[in-house]
């Protein structure tokens, strides 16, 4: 279980220790066990634990697909679009972004519009929310149910980098 967990594969696991081993139970819960059933347990308790584990696995799967969809949108960004999106999401105005990256304000507007379209953002607030969601995802890869792997696109690192080197404050 630990190995699959480390590899980014989340398997709903129910631990059924043979003895009341407190350190084992604590360790099982820390590593993400869906439930721990000390023996003896009833069939009803087992069924309830399996049902809860399956529901949890469904939520994890939905979250995983949500991450994959966000990453797919971000992977369509050019490096410059990702950079502009990160700077705009940090609160800089187009003119400030243009100064920051050494280009014209009109060019920034073009990159911003393209980034917003590719990310499905219909407003500045949407762009900020999408950027925040992308940057908040703690993993660098997702393992899909078929075993295939989806890696975090470089555009997200470009956004984070742009956020980290702004020369604010601006007048």
């Amino acid at each position: 279980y630990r190995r699959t967990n480390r590899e980014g594969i989340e398997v709903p696991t129910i631990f059924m220790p043979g003895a009341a081993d407190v350190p084992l139970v604590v360790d099982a819960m820390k590593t993400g066990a869906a439930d721990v059933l000390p023996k003896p347990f009833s069939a009803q308790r087992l069924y309830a634990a399996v049902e809860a584990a399956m529901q949890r696995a469904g939520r994890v799967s939905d979250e995983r697909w949500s991450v994959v969809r966000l990453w797919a949108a971000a992977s369509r960004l050019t490096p410059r679009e990702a950079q502009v999106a990160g700077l705009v999401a940090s609160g800089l105005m187009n003119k400030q972004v243009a100064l920051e990256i050494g280009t014209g304000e009109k060019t920034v507007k073009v990159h911003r519009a393209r980034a917003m379209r590719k990310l499905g953002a219909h407003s500045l607030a949407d762009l900020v929310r999408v950027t925040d969601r992308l940057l908040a995802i703690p993993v660098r890869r997702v393992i899909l149910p078929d075993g295939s792997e989806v890696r975090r696109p470089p555009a997200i690192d470009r956004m984070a980098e742009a956020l980290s080197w702004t020369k604010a404050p601006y007048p």
Side-chain angles (χ1 to χ4, degrees):
Y1 176 77
R2 278 184 214 281
R3 194 174 105 232
T4 59
N5 206 10
R6 260 194 320 271
E7 306 261 334
I9 303 168
E10 188 158 332
V11 178
T13 305
I14 301 168
F15 282 93
M16 296 176 270
D21 185 349
V22 174
L24 175 67
V25 170
V26 169
D27 188 49
M29 296 308 286
K30 281 183 179 179
T31 57
D35 205 343
V36 177
L37 298 178
K39 292 181 183 174
F41 52 85
S42 67
Q44 183 179 359
R45 179 71 174 103
L46 177 60
Y47 295 142
V50 169
E51 178 66 30
M54 289 172 53
Q55 287 177 1
R56 178 180 173 186
R59 285 190 303 275
V60 166
S61 179
D62 290 348
E63 290 169 15
R64 192 170 288 147
W65 282 111
S66 174
V67 167
V68 168
R69 282 190 296 277
L70 275 172
W71 284 356
S75 70
R76 292 190 297 268
L77 297 174
T78 66
R80 182 63 96 182
E81 290 165 353
Q83 182 182 39
V84 168
L87 291 169
V88 169
S90 75
L92 298 182
M93 295 182 292
N94 291 336
K95 181 189 289 189
Q96 294 167 321
V97 174
L99 286 170
E100 192 76 39
I101 64 175
T103 191
E105 189 175 349
K106 186 173 181 178
T107 302
V108 169
K109 288 179 182 179
V110 169
H111 289 306
R112 175 181 167 173
R114 287 179 182 163
M116 289 177 67
R117 186 181 68 250
K118 290 176 182 180
L119 294 173
H122 304 291
S123 67
L124 176 59
D126 282 347
L127 179 62
V128 171
R129 277 191 288 274
V130 170
T131 302
D132 285 348
R133 284 182 62 203
L134 284 165
L135 294 173
I137 298 168
V139 296
R140 300 198 66 80
R141 67 187 184 130
V142 171
I143 308 295
L144 298 176
D146 67 359
S148 63
E149 177 180 287
V150 178
R151 292 190 176 273
R152 174 180 159 135
I156 299 171
D157 295 326
R158 185 76 169 172
M159 287 177 175
E161 180 184 315
L163 283 166
S164 72
W165 55 259
T166 57
K167 298 174 189 166
Y170 289 92

